[in-house]
Amino acid sequence: MKKVIFSLLIYFTSAPTKSFSQGCVAIRSVGGLCTMDHMGNNIDSSNWMLNLNGRYFRSFRHFVGTREQKHRVEEGSEVINKSFTFDLSLTRNINRWWSVTLGIPFIANDRSSLYEHDGKTRHHTHAFGVGDIRISAYRWLLDPGKNAKGNIQVGLGIKLPTGDYRYQDFFYKNDSTEVLGPVDQSIQPGDGGTGISAELNTFYNLSKRVSVYGNFYYLANPREQNGTSTARGAAPSATASRYGSSTMSVPDQYMLRAGVNFSTKLLTFSLGARDEGLPAKDLLGGSSGFRRPGYIISAEPGVTLKLKRANVYAYVPVALRRNRTQSFADKKRTSITGVYAQGDAAFADYSINLGATFRF
């Protein structure tokens, strides 16, 4: 088996909170799911790849740490995010060693809650538009023409702040009053920062039918805050100002994947594990501002149909462990008050990823 699926994909969100967090771990899209061709001698300067990927999920289960707040769903106070992302990625294979990729996400998000509005009835806010564009360069560490059995690829990229990170919608207060303000961080199309991404992709063919793969992705966002208010059109609360959560942070994010593929003539079946998250502390720059850090570990089954010049695939990561960790603001509040503080976030049970990669 000379082909293996490389998923360069991150995007899970959730929802926000009364004082600090009622909400969401916001992992921005990084350009969809890209199926790479490892037939080294066939990669030359004439090769292009176009990847089209759609991702959908519905987050509604609230967690503080790893403990689910089941009462939120039972009483109807849960925050529900419905997120659809369409990623367009164009890859140019310069030669069999080097390639460059341009990834453009298009985002449509819907969020419904009680607490953001009048606290009694469920209302919706929306966000739509182009997300943060990413440009990346990749290089195989071993000669692809001589190492079809296994190889390691490294990548370095830049994420541009092209997505709107101040998107606004109306918040319902009563029958005669609606307030215009920035929507929640979890559904903003962009994060407002210029980021640096690092990647490591590897595969090894155990036999003609069985292979293993691994992916690592990290996005460092040096910018600390983007200046967007978290008050939803109102004045920031004294609590939010005191603990540094009155404006949105620009957080880092990461993803780890590993698994096994079984290939037939036309189909490749995949089963892997996936860990994606948003750390409480950034690798570069400061970490203050509002964020909902956490991670989700998923089982990731998938299937790919291999055609002559295209691959069509479906992946459905299913959540196994969800953890909303302590944020920078939570830790600051704990230090000042002496009372342990930790906000919550809403997670999805699964996400659906459908797409196709075309080679020309």
Side-chain angles (χ1 to χ4, degrees):
M1 171 177 126
K2 297 182 180 178
K3 295 181 182 177
V4 66
I5 306 228
F6 281 115
S7 261
L8 309 175
L9 156 70
I10 305 176
Y11 187 71
F12 84 79
T13 59
S14 313
T17 232
K18 278 188 179 169
S19 56
F20 278 115
S21 150
Q22 183 169 297
C24 315
V25 179
I27 307 281
R28 306 294 171 188
S29 174
V30 294
L33 187 121
C34 187
T35 303
M36 308 296 289
D37 190 336
H38 304 301
M39 300 179 66
N41 291 324
N42 291 338
I43 297 178
D44 57 39
S45 59
S46 66
N47 286 147
W48 290 80
M49 288 192 297
L50 174 65
N51 183 76
L52 306 176
N53 179 80
R55 179 174 180 175
Y56 171 80
F57 69 84
R58 178 178 180 268
S59 65
F60 65 100
R61 296 192 185 276
H62 289 255
F63 285 78
V64 176
T66 58
R67 186 179 70 257
E68 184 179 358
Q69 297 179 306
K70 296 182 179 180
H71 67 279
R72 297 295 299 277
V73 174
E74 294 170 357
E75 68 187 20
S77 66
E78 79 277 21
V79 178
I80 301 173
N81 277 13
K82 295 179 181 179
S83 176
F84 177 77
T85 303
F86 176 77
D87 287 294
L88 186 155
S89 299
L90 183 63
T91 298
R92 169 65 169 178
N93 294 307
I94 299 172
N95 53 43
R96 66 189 189 187
W97 292 88
W98 288 92
S99 61
V100 293
T101 297
L102 171 67
I104 306 174
F106 300 89
I107 295 168
N109 293 329
D110 173 90
R111 176 182 176 85
S112 68
S113 67
L114 280 66
Y115 85 97
E116 292 176 305
H117 301 278
D118 64 354
K120 301 176 183 178
T121 54
R122 182 173 295 275
H123 292 273
H124 295 255
T125 51
H126 306 85
F128 175 81
V130 176
D132 290 344
I133 293 174
R134 191 166 65 97
I135 303 170
S136 302
Y138 300 91
R139 188 187 191 279
W140 293 105
L141 297 184
L142 304 176
D143 188 341
K146 299 178 181 179
N147 296 275
K149 191 171 184 178
N151 211 330
I152 300 173
Q153 183 189 58
V154 294
L156 187 65
I158 182 170
K159 180 192 69 67
L160 303 174
T162 52
D164 190 349
Y165 57 95
R166 297 175 178 173
Y167 198 99
Q168 296 187 78
D169 203 349
F170 287 96
F171 294 87
Y172 176 90
K173 300 305 177 183
N174 54 54
D175 289 341
S176 61
T177 305
E178 290 185 333
V179 177
L180 180 66
V183 298
D184 186 78
Q185 184 182 49
S186 63
I187 65 170
Q188 290 284 351
D191 62 22
T194 298
I196 303 169
S197 63
E199 298 176 60
L200 181 68
N201 304 307
T202 185
F203 74 97
Y204 188 80
N205 295 314
L206 300 173
S207 67
K208 291 183 179 180
R209 294 189 180 275
V210 181
S211 72
V212 292
Y213 65 89
N215 309 122
F216 169 76
Y217 171 90
Y218 193 94
L219 173 65
N221 265 318
R223 188 178 184 182
E224 187 170 19
Q225 300 180 37
N226 61 24
T228 303
S229 172
T230 59
R232 303 175 180 86
S237 68
T239 299
S241 298
R242 184 181 186 190
Y243 303 125
S245 60
S246 59
T247 59
M248 298 180 189
S249 69
V250 186
D252 291 359
Q253 63 187 46
Y254 68 87
M255 181 186 69
L256 291 166
R257 294 179 69 247
V260 60
N261 293 326
F262 179 80
S263 182
T264 65
K265 185 176 181 180
L266 293 178
L267 295 174
T268 295
F269 299 95
S270 302
L271 181 60
R274 178 190 188 98
D275 177 10
E276 54 188 332
L278 186 153
K281 186 176 181 180
D282 290 345
L283 187 64
L284 303 172
S287 306
S288 67
F290 180 81
R291 72 174 71 184
R292 300 184 186 93
Y295 62 85
I296 181 169
I297 297 175
S298 305
E300 187 177 34
V303 61
T304 300
L305 173 64
K306 297 175 289 185
L307 305 175
K308 185 176 181 180
R309 303 296 295 177
N311 287 352
V312 180
Y313 58 82
Y315 279 78
V316 184
V318 179
L320 301 177
R321 180 181 176 85
R322 288 159 282 197
N323 188 353
R324 200 294 201 180
T325 57
Q326 229 188 351
S327 68
F328 183 92
D330 291 336
K331 294 176 182 178
K332 185 175 181 180
R333 184 172 187 174
T334 300
S335 176
I336 292 174
T337 64
V339 178
Y340 185 83
Q342 185 171 357
D344 73 308
F347 294 83
D349 286 334
Y350 60 88
S351 65
I352 299 172
N353 304 276
L354 303 174
T357 299
F358 303 91
R359 297 180 296 278
F360 53 94

